[in-house]
Amino acid sequence: MSYLLTSAGYLIVASPEQADILLINTCGFIESAKREAINAILELAEYKQPKGNARFLMVAGCLAQRYAQQIRQDLPEVDAVLGTADYGRIVDAIRQMYQAALTDSIADCNWNIGAAGSIEHLKVARHPSTPGKYAYIKVAEGCSNCCAYCAIPQIRGAYKSRPIEELVAEADRLSRSGKDELILIAQDTSRYGLDLYGKRMLAALLKDICQLETVRMVRILYVYTDGLTDELIQYMSCEPKIAHYLDLPIQHAADRVLLKMNRRDSKDSLCQTISRLRSAMPDIVLRTTVLVGFPGETDKEYQQLLDFLQAIKFDHLGCFVFSPEEGTPAYSMRPRVSKKIAEQRQQDIMAMQSKISASLNQQRIGQVIPVTLESIDDSGIFYVGRSFREAPDVDPVIYVAGTTEPLVIGQTYAVRIIDAGDYDMTGVTEL
């Protein structure tokens, strides 16, 4: 949307006070995300005329795709809605709003949501909004896994892979523009190619991207264990441009809960996959997410999850409380776990992970590692950076003490870790 708007002559401004048009791109996955999106809509509505300067407020993304009619009924502050398939219509939608304002009518772009699952908008060149030298590449749209708790297939449609040549061209454009760490994402990255080519093609895609000279690092997020083929693991282990890092959201480790979730894993299969990964890449960093409070989760099954996480010791972990989403099989499942119990389970898991993380971080003290600097912290004392072990936004950071010579944001330095907390670490550059 940013690329289409600037190409059409619109100017992106730094603050809502300066804007003529306010655009919110939303999530609608779980209840907390929906609340956050609605609060953002109401907050930005305060910048509309007559209180503020803006003429129009637009809502795009998953919340718009899923709840277009409700937004129309309950949020009259919103002037237009664009769903997940409609990003490419942003310029036409704005023009229609202005035309409607001139004729005192309702713009046709309101509430006319396209069918979920389109990937046409992904063909448009874009202006990455990410800071630093990293950028995301979405290798597919939608999801066909149909986990019992998840509304994403409803919102975004079935899984649709993008052609390899299109993705390699995007990787080339991004890396030539200075975004030399490319992060491959999808609802299930390891499924890539199955719908388009009849077989999983993530390894083939990685090989083509890694041949680009301007690519420094490729990181893979959100993989399912059944997509971790021997070919993929072997290639990851020997290609120096691929970070030995995987985001492997397991959700649970009790077999009955996994079955009710409509996951394809079992505790044994998870153990086997993680063993394969660590055998092939002893330095691999594993991130996961788990879900507690799923309907029917017993104390014993929760303890099985806790024991599994204590045994595996993931490097990074997030824990979510089950959110009943209408239209999903889990919405009507009973018995429900009380919110109080689910939240206590979440707190206990994160407390355990804090200790695991602290112990793993202590083992890194004294190591010298390549760290790419991305910013300066608020105090102005430390640089903030990441190594291959940390993905942006979701993982901890490394604070790098300044030296007598200024360091350059975007450059990679050899950094010796000198201190480590539960999550973040501190280091100094090796001269």
Side-chain angles (χ1 to χ4, degrees), residues 162-176:
R162 299 170 62 191
I164 284 182
E165 58 271 17
E166 184 180 305
L167 292 168
V168 174
E170 183 173 357
D172 188 41
R173 285 195 304 271
L174 289 168
S175 60
R176 287 181 183 276

Side-chain angles (χ1 to χ4, degrees), residues 188-208:
D188 177 357
T189 313
S190 51
R191 192 186 183 95
Y192 173 73
L194 197 57
D195 58 309
L196 189 59
Y197 302 106
K199 60 180 180 178
R200 299 179 189 272
M201 294 288 283
L202 182 57
L205 173 63
L206 288 166
K207 289 175 184 177
D208 286 352

Side-chain angles (χ1 to χ4, degrees), residues 206-207 209-211 215-216 218 233-244:
L206 288 166
K207 289 175 184 177
I209 290 177
C210 288
Q211 288 178 9
V215 171
R216 174 179 60 88
V218 181
I233 293 174
Q234 191 278 331
Y235 184 67
M236 283 187 65
S237 70
C238 67
E239 171 52 64
K241 287 188 177 182
I242 299 178
H244 287 182

Side-chain angles (χ1 to χ4, degrees), residues 182-417:
L182 302 179
I183 306 172
L184 305 189
I185 59 170
Q187 304 303 332
D188 177 357
T189 313
S190 51
R191 192 186 183 95
Y192 173 73
L194 197 57
D195 58 309
L196 189 59
Y197 302 106
K199 60 180 180 178
R200 299 179 189 272
M201 294 288 283
L202 182 57
L205 173 63
L206 288 166
K207 289 175 184 177
D208 286 352
I209 290 177
C210 288
Q211 288 178 9
L212 299 172
E213 292 183 4
T214 45
V215 171
R216 174 179 60 88
M217 182 189 297
V218 181
R219 188 184 300 274
I220 308 167
L221 299 188
Y222 223 89
V223 299
Y224 280 58
T225 57
D226 59 354
L228 290 171
T229 62
D230 290 339
E231 179 192 17
L232 177 59
I233 293 174
Q234 191 278 331
Y235 184 67
M236 283 187 65
S237 70
C238 67
E239 171 52 64
K241 287 188 177 182
I242 299 178
H244 287 182
Y245 178 109
L246 278 178
D247 177 19
L248 189 70
I250 64 169
Q251 306 306 347
H252 217 279
D255 288 351
R256 192 185 71 91
V257 177
L258 288 166
L259 186 63
K260 288 186 67 178
M261 286 179 167
N262 199 32
R263 303 283 293 185
R264 297 186 293 271
D265 298 315
S266 66
K267 177 184 175 183
D268 285 346
S269 70
L270 290 172
C271 289
Q272 290 167 13
T273 298
I274 292 168
S275 177
R276 286 167 60 214
L277 289 168
R278 286 177 168 168
S279 176
M281 294 169 278
D283 63 339
I284 193 168
V285 175
L286 295 178
R287 174 179 177 80
T288 196
T289 49
V290 294
L291 181 65
V292 293
F294 189 80
E297 180 191 51
T298 65
D299 290 341
K300 181 179 179 181
E301 288 164 336
Y302 165 68
Q303 188 62 48
Q304 288 173 358
L305 172 62
L306 207 63
D307 292 344
F308 179 85
L309 298 178
Q310 182 64 62
I312 295 296
K313 292 182 170 53
F314 286 96
D315 298 271
H316 308 299
L317 179 144
C319 182
F320 296 89
V321 170
F322 169 73
S323 173
E325 295 300 316
E326 58 268 33
T328 65
Y331 186 75
S332 57
M333 287 183 182
R334 297 295 185 274
R336 290 262 181 94
V337 177
S338 76
K339 185 178 180 180
K340 181 179 180 181
I341 290 175
E343 289 178 345
Q344 184 61 55
R345 290 175 178 176
Q346 178 193 42
Q347 292 171 18
D348 291 346
I349 281 180
M350 293 313 298
M352 180 188 71
Q353 181 61 29
S354 177
K355 295 178 181 178
I356 291 172
S357 178
S359 175
L360 293 174
N361 285 349
Q362 286 294 318
Q363 297 173 29
R364 297 178 68 185
I365 292 178
Q367 293 181 1
V368 178
I369 57 176
V371 175
T372 302
L373 304 184
E374 295 188 327
S375 63
I376 297 174
D377 79 336
D378 293 339
S379 71
I381 298 173
F382 293 99
Y383 295 90
V384 182
R386 293 182 297 111
S387 71
F388 85 90
R389 302 181 64 90
E390 295 87 30
D393 301 323
V394 292
D395 290 339
V397 297
I398 299 173
Y399 291 99
V400 179
T403 63
T404 53
E405 296 294 326
L407 304 179
V408 179
I409 301 298
Q411 293 298 310
T412 301
Y413 295 90
V415 172
R416 181 180 296 276
I417 303 298

